[in-house]
Amino acid sequence: MPAEEAGGKVAGAAEEAYSEYLRGRSLKGFLYRKWLLYPRIIRRLDGRILDFGCGIGDFLACCRNAVGVDSNPHNVAVCLKRGLDATVVRDRRLPFADRHFSGVVMDNVLEHIPGPEVVETMGEVLRVLIPGGTLVIGMPGPRGYASDEDHRCFYTEGDLVR
């Protein structure tokens, strides 16, 4: 088997395992997001919303004027099965026109992106956000960061402001 194909199978297995992990999260966490966190976020948003790193679509299910993108095709497949609007994104290039969204939500996403790629990712997110639009970034605290093997970079509030 060529190395590229073997690498693709390993990445695919890891993506599938991560999607399975998301589907197995606690009921308590799901209820918190659905009934407390997401309604508070949605009240601050209007117009077209992008859920960048939509995972298995929990936010999309609560915000019907949102579309999602995720790099994990297994997550997007779960979203599509749930009747949600989601697209697989590769190389962080978003398939939307400049200034297409009035709001972008990145809930527990940045910590999964290697440090050198964050500036490029944020540039792409800001490209599709209208001037004066709303950007919502959710990050885990130190304990939450340490609880997931897929977390690559921990960002402080100061890091996010910069």
Side-chain angles (χ1 to χ4, degrees):
M1 175 181 314
E4 185 176 296
E5 185 179 331
K9 286 186 181 198
V10 169
E15 289 171 338
E16 186 172 6
Y18 196 75
S19 185
E20 187 66 34
Y21 159 76
L22 291 178
R23 289 188 297 256
R25 289 177 300 172
S26 77
L27 177 61
K28 180 178 166 183
F30 171 76
L31 293 174
Y32 164 77
R33 287 187 307 278
K34 181 176 180 169
W35 296 108
L36 186 66
L37 179 62
Y38 293 157
R40 291 179 78 185
I41 291 171
I42 291 167
R43 280 194 299 267
R44 300 182 187 284
L45 299 169
D46 61 355
R48 285 189 299 249
I49 308 302
L50 174 64
D51 185 2
F52 184 96
C54 63
I56 58 172
D58 292 342
F59 180 80
L60 294 175
C62 294
C63 185
R64 289 299 175 172
N65 57 327
V67 299
V69 295
D70 201 289
S71 63
N72 185 328
H74 300 282
N75 288 344
V76 170
V78 171
C79 291
L80 296 175
K81 227 181 235 189
R82 294 175 69 187
L84 304 169
D85 187 357
T87 303
V88 176
V89 155
R90 293 286 184 201
D91 301 323
R92 292 169 305 285
R93 181 76 183 148
L94 297 173
F96 306 106
D98 294 358
R99 302 175 175 153
H100 188 76
F101 295 99
S102 59
V104 176
V105 174
M106 300 177 80
D107 183 27
N108 289 287
V109 174
L110 286 179
E111 67 275 10
H112 295 272
I113 301 172
E117 298 172 13
V118 167
V119 171
E120 180 185 346
T121 299
M122 291 308 299
E124 186 65 1
V125 165
L126 294 175
R127 179 186 69 77
V128 301
L129 184 63
I130 64 169
T134 302
L135 173 62
V136 177
I137 299 175
M139 299 290 297
R143 281 183 35 199
Y145 176 79
S147 71
D148 188 332
E149 291 178 8
D150 194 56
H151 290 169
R152 298 195 174 125
C153 291
F154 181 77
Y155 297 96
T156 65
E157 185 176 349
D159 296 330
L160 295 176
V161 170
R162 277 190 295 288

